[in-house]
Amino acid sequence: SLMKTFFVCLLASFVTITLGVSLVLFTPSLRLPNKEKPEESSKLLSSNPPVDPKFKYLNQMEKTKKFVLSGGVVQWARYRKNPKDYDTKEEEEFGSSINANDAKMTASTLLIKPNGCRVPHWHFNANEHGFLATGTVWIGILDSAPFSVTSYNVTAGQVIFLPRSTLHWMKCVGQEDCLFVLFFTTHEELVTRDVDDVFYATPQDIAARSLKPAGGVDFIRSFKQPAENQAVNLPPNLNELVRKASYTQSRDFLVARYFYDLKASKQYRYPGGIIQWARYTKDQTGLSRNEIIFAKSLNEHEDTVTIATMRIFTNGMRQPHYHFNANEMGYVLSGCGKVGVVGRDVVNFDIEKGDVFFFPHGTHHYIKSTCDEDLLLVIAYSTGNELQTLDMNIYFQSTADFILAQLFLKKQDEFQKIPTFKEPQDINLP
């Protein structure tokens, strides 16, 4: 009947409504959003303070992760593709900065224990430039055809240059630790292959056919890959393994392509400090034969860097300046100082031993020594050509005073108070 049909429909409606309300009440995903939750999540996000912008220009490498190996220790100031590979947000900020600014440089320190060896290896995507801070190292390098090996000794204060894809090794041959400050000419992840890794990755029959050793493939099978990374190694039974070591020195004209005696080079003296250069210059007047060979080698290879040491006396200052054609990356060997940067950001920060700093090309910057001891830096500039730099005092003195008056809203005569000096003021004192 009609009445019966009505009651059936009413009952069905009641059941449907009851089920619907139950689902909404007891199924979290179907509940209406809580208006308070977005506010809570925004509070959580805001509780993570932003990274100080100074870390775009500063990496406190001395405090970063130490990659400890049997023969030494490696530390990095570098870019990583995977953000999870950074240990801190500050390191990520620096890595992202050098990558975004096409720095063409990555910095590292390599400490090798006495008798330790940075084993034979090559880099796919970067030249390697190094400054030896302590110790004595024997370098071997196998360059392209005619595939001759050049080997030479390096002592503290000297510079090495290892072109991209050349096979090379470094052995610490003195009685003290050998510490290199290294610059690799890439702002991407450095790609490196060690000879032992390549050997173990090669099928044994292929390696046997290539090397043709006595015993054939059985000899190849006798090699056992260690569990530990051998990048910088020092076997405990080294004396049993090595019967006789010969640290040969190649002829000077061959070595000079990859080596520069920076500590013995000309000192450029200023009122507030001293600079020495391993660089290319068009004017080669006064350069030795070996210095000319090194400069030519730098200039002929792609993406090389200019290396300098800069000693800033107490209270001295590398005055504000910028570079037309190079990024700058430096490492603090000793002392402490204050750095100022005027670029996309305006930041000032302190630097101390073990810090790495970075200035993109065109970025105005200064470095001041603030300790009782001299501030000693090793600096790399991303050019194998002549470095082009403009200091603040030069561009003020070179700009017409009536233009300065109009710019700074000061009377023209006021700018006569800015003196000129007979001697360069690159590093000055008050």
Side-chain angles (χ1 to χ4, degrees):
S1 68
L2 187 60
M3 185 61 71
K4 185 177 181 180
T5 302
F6 170 76
F7 280 113
V8 169
C9 291
L10 182 63
L11 180 62
S13 299
F14 176 77
V15 171
T16 302
I17 292 170
T18 302
L19 286 172
V21 171
S22 299
L23 283 170
V24 170
L25 289 175
F26 298 106
T27 306
S29 62
L30 296 178
R31 293 177 191 169
L32 291 173
N34 188 336
K35 291 182 179 180
E36 295 181 359
K37 286 194 174 180
E39 293 178 9
E40 290 176 3
S41 62
S42 65
K43 286 180 182 178
L44 287 173
L45 288 172
S46 63
S47 67
N48 295 323
V51 178
D52 191 323
K54 74 179 182 182
F55 290 107
K56 293 178 183 178
Y57 312 99
L58 171 68
N59 181 293
Q60 296 172 317
M61 190 160 66
E62 186 87 353
K63 301 175 183 177
T64 63
K65 179 179 178 179
K66 294 182 178 181
F67 294 85
V68 180
L69 304 161
S70 62
V73 180
V74 183
Q75 290 181 279
W76 293 96
R78 60 180 172 177
Y79 165 75
R80 306 292 276 166
K81 285 183 180 178
N82 186 349
K84 293 181 180 179
D85 290 336
Y86 292 107
D87 290 314
T88 66
K89 287 295 182 183
E90 289 76 15
E91 289 177 49
E92 182 179 0
E93 187 78 359
F94 183 83
S96 299
S97 175
I98 63 174
N99 185 259
N101 285 287
D102 296 332
K104 292 188 177 180
M105 287 184 288
T106 290
S108 174
T109 53
L110 168 62
L111 185 144
I112 310 175
K113 299 175 184 177
N115 286 320
C117 181
R118 175 63 183 101
V119 301
H121 64 284
W122 67 92
H123 308 293
F124 286 63
N125 61 336
N127 301 304
E128 180 175 354
H129 297 257
F131 173 86
L132 186 61
T134 62
T136 301
V137 176
W138 184 62
I139 304 284
I141 177 170
L142 177 60
D143 209 336
S144 56
F147 302 112
S148 59
V149 175
T150 301
S151 57
Y152 54 97
N153 288 297
V154 183
T155 58
Q158 297 176 329
V159 165
I160 62 169
F161 165 50
L162 305 167
R164 180 174 55 196
S165 296
T166 54
L167 180 75
H168 56 276
W169 63 85
M170 309 169 183
K171 182 172 174 66
C172 185
V173 295
Q175 299 301 311
E176 63 175 326
D177 289 345
C178 300
L179 177 63
F180 266 116
V181 180
L182 301 173
F183 298 96
F184 301 90
T185 59
T186 181
H187 50 265
E188 302 290 346
E189 287 194 333
L190 182 65
V191 184
T192 301
R193 284 291 177 269
D194 291 357
V195 165
D196 61 325
D197 292 333
V198 174
F199 174 81
Y200 289 118
T202 302
Q204 293 177 333
D205 62 318
I206 299 299
R209 287 187 61 175
S210 175
L211 301 177
K212 299 187 183 300
V217 73
D218 288 337
F219 174 78
I220 301 299
R221 289 171 180 157
S222 70
F223 287 77
K224 304 300 179 185
Q225 185 172 10
E228 302 81 13
N229 188 329
Q230 297 295 303
V232 187
N233 86 345
L234 181 57
N237 61 337
L238 182 63
N239 291 334
E240 299 174 15
L241 299 173
V242 177
R243 182 174 56 84
K244 182 181 179 181
S246 177
Y247 304 115
T248 58
Q249 181 81 11
S250 298
R251 298 174 67 182
D252 283 355
F253 76 92
L254 295 173
V255 172
R257 294 177 296 171
Y258 314 111
F259 165 84
Y260 190 85
D261 191 359
L262 185 60
K263 66 181 178 183
S265 67
K266 179 179 177 179
Q267 294 185 349
Y268 292 83
R269 291 184 168 272
Y270 304 95
I274 301 169
I275 303 177
Q276 291 179 278
W277 295 96
R279 62 179 175 179
Y280 168 78
T281 56
K282 292 178 182 178
D283 182 5
Q284 298 181 341
T285 304
L287 297 182
S288 69
R289 179 193 179 199
N290 288 346
E291 288 174 328
I292 292 172
I293 292 172
F294 180 82
K296 182 180 178 183
S297 179
L298 276 188
N299 190 246
E300 288 179 346
H301 286 86
E302 291 184 13
D303 296 330
T304 55
V305 304
T306 293
I307 297 285
T309 52
M310 184 180 297
R311 181 180 295 277
I312 306 178
F313 304 147
T314 300
N315 210 29
M317 180 181 70
R318 175 64 183 99
Q319 70 156 292
H321 64 284
Y322 67 91
H323 308 293
F324 289 75
N325 63 333
N327 300 300
E328 177 178 344
M329 186 176 286
Y331 177 84
V332 182
L333 291 166
S334 61
C336 62
K338 181 176 285 294
V339 166
V341 181
V342 180
R344 292 188 178 95
D345 307 280
V346 178
V347 294
N348 295 275
F349 54 88
D350 296 325
I351 54 173
E352 60 185 11
K353 182 181 177 181
D355 285 348
V356 172
F357 53 84
F358 167 62
F359 308 128
H361 74 84
T363 299
H364 207 260
H365 56 276
Y366 71 86
I367 306 173
K368 181 183 177 184
S369 177
T370 56
C371 284
D372 291 336
E373 64 175 315
D374 294 348
L375 175 60
L376 182 58
L377 312 168
V378 56
I379 303 176
Y381 303 87
S382 62
T383 181
N385 292 310
E386 286 191 331
L387 181 65
Q388 299 171 4
T389 301
L390 186 60
D391 288 0
M392 176 181 273
N393 69 324
I394 299 299
Y395 65 71
F396 260 78
Q397 292 160 4
S398 302
T399 303
D401 56 9
F402 65 88
I403 296 296
L404 293 174
Q406 182 173 341
L407 171 62
F408 290 103
L409 310 180
K410 290 182 72 70
K411 292 182 179 180
Q412 184 175 353
D413 292 344
E414 289 286 301
F415 293 94
Q416 300 304 313
K417 295 179 180 179
I418 300 175
T420 57
F421 295 89
K422 291 183 179 179
E423 60 181 344
Q425 296 293 304
D426 298 41
I427 309 177
N428 69 16
L429 283 170

